[in-house]
Amino acid sequence: MSSIALMIVGLAIMAIGFFFYSKFIAEKIYRLDPDFRTPAHELRDDVDFVPTNKFVLWGHHFTSVAGAAPIVGPAIAVIWGWLPAFLWVTLGTVFFAGVHDFGALWASVRNKGKSIGTLTGTVIGNRARNLFLVVIFLLLLMVNAAFAVVISNLLVANPASVIPTWGAIVVALCIGQAIYRFKVPLLWPSIIGVVVLYALIFLGQSFPITLPESVLGFGPKAQWIILLFAYAGIASLLPVWVLLQPRDYINGLQLFVGLGLMYAATLFFAPEIVAPAVNADVPEGTPGIVPLLFVTIACGAISGFHGLVASGTSSKQLDKETDARFVGYFGAIGEGMLALAAIIACTAGFASLGEWQGIYDKFGSGGVVAFVNGGGNILANGLGLDPGLGSTILSVMAILFAATTMDTGLRLQRYVVQEAAEIVGVKPVQKGWLATLVALGTCLALAFGAGGDGSGGMVIWPLFGTTNQLLAGLTLAILSVILIKQRRPVWFTAIPLVFLLVMSVMALLVQLGKFYADQNWLLLGMDIVILVAALWVAMEAIVAMARGAGGDQPATEAGPR
C-alpha cells in the first residue's frame, strides 16, 4: 500500500467533511446566528472573556485539544493494522469529533460560556452535574499528571528540544503584546514568530541542555515535572491574551508547518507502508480490537477533553457565533490530520515489516518514539534533512502540544475546583489563585505520591482512553437533550452518542476484569467510580430526553435569539 494514496484519501475525506458536512450541521442543526451576542462581548473582562480573531482562537483551541494524544493513540493502535486505525481516524473525525467539538462550543456560547459540567445542571439536573464534575476532574487529573511525564521524558531523551520548548514561551509573550497592546496586524507577528520558532530548533541542535543528575534528591525527569507544573500554574492565572492565546496560536502555525513538511516528505519519498492492513498476528497479550481500538485512539477520532476546552476556554473568546464552525469543527479536522500523519509515520517510516514488528512486539509499544523515529526517517529521505534534525522537529512538535494542553488543562481544572467550591459553599476556594493551588496540589500528589521520580501520573493513565470517550459520549448526550427540547434533528449527535457509550462501557468492563486479575485495587476502584457516575449521568440524560420529547420547554438559551 502506498503511503501517498493513504494520505490523499484521508485528507480528501476530511476536506469533504469540513466544506460540506460541517456546513450542513451549522445551518440545519446548530443554526448559527451571526447577530447573536457572544459571552466574549456580553461578559468581557479581558482575563477569561476576550473577543478574539477566529484564526488566533482556532490556534488556541486546536493546540489545546491536540497535545500528544493524537500522536500516542494512533501510534499504539496501528498494532492491529493500519486500516482500522485509518478508518476510525478519518470517519471518526468527520462524523463524531467535528460534531462533538463544534456542538460543545455552540452550546456553551448559547449559555453564557458555561462549561459542559455546569451546563449539565441546567439541562439535566444538579445530581447529574455533580457526578459529571467528578468524571471531568479525574480526566483532567490524568491529562495534567501524565502529560508532564511525557514532556519530561522527551526533554531528557532529546536535550536539543529544551531551547525551542522554553523559547516558545518568550515568543508567545512577544506576540501577545504585539497584537493586543500595540495593535500590530496579525500577519507579521505570525511570520516572524514561526521563523523564530524554527530558528530556536536549529539553536537547540547546537546547544543541547541537560539538567543536573540530582537536585535535592530529584533526578532530571522529576526536576522537569516540577518546573512544568510551576509554569502551568502561573500560565493558568494570567489573562488568556498574555500567554495562552498567542502560545497556542503560534504553536498551531508551527504544527501546520510541521505537518506540511511531513506530508511533503511523504510525496517526495513515497514510502511503502510496511505494516499489515489488518494484523492477524498480533503479539501475545494484545487485547481485542473491539472495543479497545476506539478508546486507544481517542483524541485522534473523538475526545471528551475537546468538549472541556470548547466549553471551558474557547467559548469565552468567540467573537461571532458563526466562527464556531471554523474553530470547533476545523479544530477537530486539524487533530485528525495530525493523527493521520502519526499513522503514516508509524507504518511507513520503517525499512521493513521485520523492523516494524521489532518495534511493535507488545501492546503499548510504539507511541511517541515510533512517531519521532518513523517520521524522522521520512523527513530525512523525502526532504534530505539530517535525521537528528528531523527527530528534533517532531519531538519539539510533540512537546509543544503536550505543554499547551497542560496550560489549558490546569486552567480547566481550576475552573472545576471553583465550580465545586461554589456548589458546596466554600468561598475561599472560589478564588482563582487558591483553586489553582488545589489543582496543582492534586496533580503533584499523584505525580510524586505514586512515583518518587514524578512518574506517578502514569499510574492512572490506563483509564484515560475510556474516561475520555465516556466524557465525549456524555457531552453528546447533553447536546442531544438540547436539540430534542428545541425540536431539531437529533440523529447527528444521538448515533455517535450510542456508539461511544457502548464502546466505552465495554472497555471499562474489560479493564475491570484485568484490574481485578492484577489485584490493582486503585484502578479497580477508580474504574467502578467512573463507570457508576457515567451510567448514572447517561440514565438521567435519557430521562431528560424523554421529558423533552414529551413537550417540556428547554431551560437553556440554545434556540433562536
Side-chain angles (χ1 to χ4, degrees):
M1 176 70 181
S2 168
S3 58
I4 294 179
L6 197 68
M7 179 183 76
I8 291 174
V9 172
L11 294 178
I13 291 172
M14 294 182 202
I16 291 170
F18 177 70
F19 288 109
F20 296 100
Y21 190 60
S22 75
K23 184 178 181 183
F24 166 77
I25 295 294
E27 294 177 354
K28 304 299 183 182
I29 308 303
Y30 298 146
R31 302 178 189 176
L32 303 186
D33 179 2
D35 297 322
F36 180 79
R37 191 165 184 238
T38 64
H41 291 281
E42 184 179 359
L43 304 173
R44 182 169 186 167
D45 61 5
D46 288 327
V47 177
D48 294 317
F49 293 85
V50 182
T52 304
N53 177 287
K54 71 177 183 179
F55 296 104
V56 175
L57 182 56
W58 170 83
H60 155 70
H61 179 80
F62 167 48
T63 54
S64 294
V65 302
I71 296 172
V72 175
I76 292 174
V78 293
I79 197 168
W80 288 297
W82 62 262
L83 182 58
F86 172 78
L87 291 175
W88 179 227
V89 163
T90 52
L91 299 180
T93 294
V94 170
F95 295 107
F96 285 59
V99 174
H100 168 274
D101 298 12
F102 184 6
L105 181 56
W106 161 76
S108 179
V109 165
R110 281 284 171 163
N111 289 275
K112 301 185 183 299
K114 291 179 181 178
S115 72
I116 201 68
T118 303
L119 193 56
T120 304
T122 305
V123 175
I124 298 179
N126 290 337
R127 184 169 50 215
R129 175 201 62 194
N130 297 343
L131 290 167
F132 206 173
L133 286 176
V134 171
V135 178
I136 291 171
F137 185 83
L138 289 175
L139 179 69
L140 291 171
L141 184 62
M142 294 177 201
V143 169
N144 292 333
F147 275 26
V149 177
V150 171
I151 299 169
S152 68
N153 288 342
L154 286 169
L155 290 172
V156 170
N158 194 341
S161 63
V162 173
I163 286 179
T165 295
W166 293 95
I169 297 172
V170 179
V171 174
L173 288 169
C174 293
I175 289 176
Q177 294 296 316
I179 294 174
Y180 285 98
R181 190 176 295 277
F182 299 107
K183 310 300 181 184
V184 178
L186 189 59
L187 178 63
W188 285 112
S190 303
I191 294 173
I192 294 171
V194 171
V195 169
V196 172
L197 271 183
Y198 277 92
L200 288 172
I201 291 176
F202 283 95
L203 186 65
Q205 283 285 104
S206 302
F207 300 98
I209 294 178
T210 57
L211 294 182
E213 285 301 312
S214 179
V215 174
L216 299 177
F218 294 112
K221 291 183 180 180
Q223 294 171 43
W224 280 128
I225 289 172
I226 292 171
L227 289 172
L228 286 164
F229 274 120
Y231 157 74
I234 295 170
S236 72
L237 288 169
L238 292 174
V240 290
W241 66 268
V242 173
L243 179 58
L244 189 69
Q245 268 187 10
R247 174 178 167 84
D248 292 353
Y249 170 66
I250 200 65
N251 284 347
L253 293 180
Q254 186 259 359
L255 169 66
F256 260 71
V257 172
L259 281 177
L261 292 174
M262 183 70 186
Y263 285 133
T266 301
L267 280 173
F268 293 134
F269 179 36
E272 287 294 312
I273 295 176
V274 299
V278 178
N279 191 6
D281 189 26
V282 295
E284 185 179 352
T286 301
I289 189 171
V290 177
L292 266 296
L293 170 73
F294 303 102
V295 298
T296 299
I297 289 182
C299 295
I302 181 171
S303 164
F305 182 73
H306 295 195
L308 299 184
V309 175
S311 65
T313 59
S314 300
S315 64
K316 297 174 176 62
Q317 302 169 58
L318 199 73
D319 184 31
K320 298 178 180 178
E321 189 178 60
T322 47
D323 292 346
R325 177 188 169 208
F326 181 80
V327 174
Y329 197 98
F330 192 61
I333 293 292
E335 180 134 344
M337 292 172 64
L338 178 57
L340 177 62
I343 291 172
I344 293 172
C346 296
T347 58
F350 302 99
S352 65
L353 174 60
E355 184 180 351
W356 181 85
Q357 289 174 329
I359 298 291
Y360 288 89
D361 59 346
K362 62 179 180 179
F363 183 71
S365 59
V368 174
V369 174
F371 170 74
V372 170
N373 292 340
N377 290 335
I378 293 175
L379 289 174
N381 287 283
L383 301 179
L385 295 180
D386 176 78
L389 178 60
S391 296
T392 299
I393 289 174
L394 296 178
S395 292
V396 170
M397 192 164 74
I399 290 170
L400 290 180
F401 285 111
T404 54
T405 300
M406 273 191 70
D407 290 0
T408 305
L410 200 66
R411 185 180 287 260
L412 292 173
Q413 200 171 2
R414 185 246 294 177
Y415 290 161
V416 172
V417 171
Q418 287 176 301
E419 288 177 13
E422 185 177 353
I423 290 169
V424 299
V426 183
K427 289 187 177 180
V429 183
Q430 295 177 34
K431 297 178 181 178
W433 66 270
L434 191 53
T436 298
L437 286 179
V438 172
L440 277 173
T442 55
C443 289
L444 289 170
L446 173 63
F448 289 95
D453 60 352
S455 62
M458 302 308 293
V459 170
I460 61 174
W461 184 251
L463 282 170
F464 168 76
T466 46
T467 307
N468 195 29
Q469 299 306 74
L470 269 175
L471 187 61
L474 296 176
T475 300
L476 287 167
I478 305 303
L479 296 176
S480 297
V481 173
I482 292 173
L483 292 174
I484 287 174
K485 289 181 175 181
Q486 294 296 327
R487 300 295 187 266
R488 300 184 190 181
V490 75
W491 301 111
F492 307 94
T493 56
I495 292 174
L497 154 65
V498 172
F499 182 85
L500 282 176
L501 286 183
V502 169
M503 290 300 161
S504 300
V505 170
M506 284 177 62
L508 275 176
L509 293 174
V510 169
Q511 289 180 310
L512 199 65
K514 183 179 184 302
F515 298 150
Y516 180 78
D518 295 342
Q519 296 187 344
N520 191 329
W521 308 123
L522 172 64
L523 291 184
L524 181 71
M526 290 186 65
D527 192 316
I528 294 172
V529 169
I530 293 167
L531 181 61
V532 170
L535 289 176
W536 198 328
V537 174
M539 290 302 298
E540 297 219 17
I542 292 171
V543 172
M545 289 181 204
R547 285 202 306 264
D552 285 2
Q553 292 300 310
T556 70
E557 298 177 13
R561 174 173 167 180

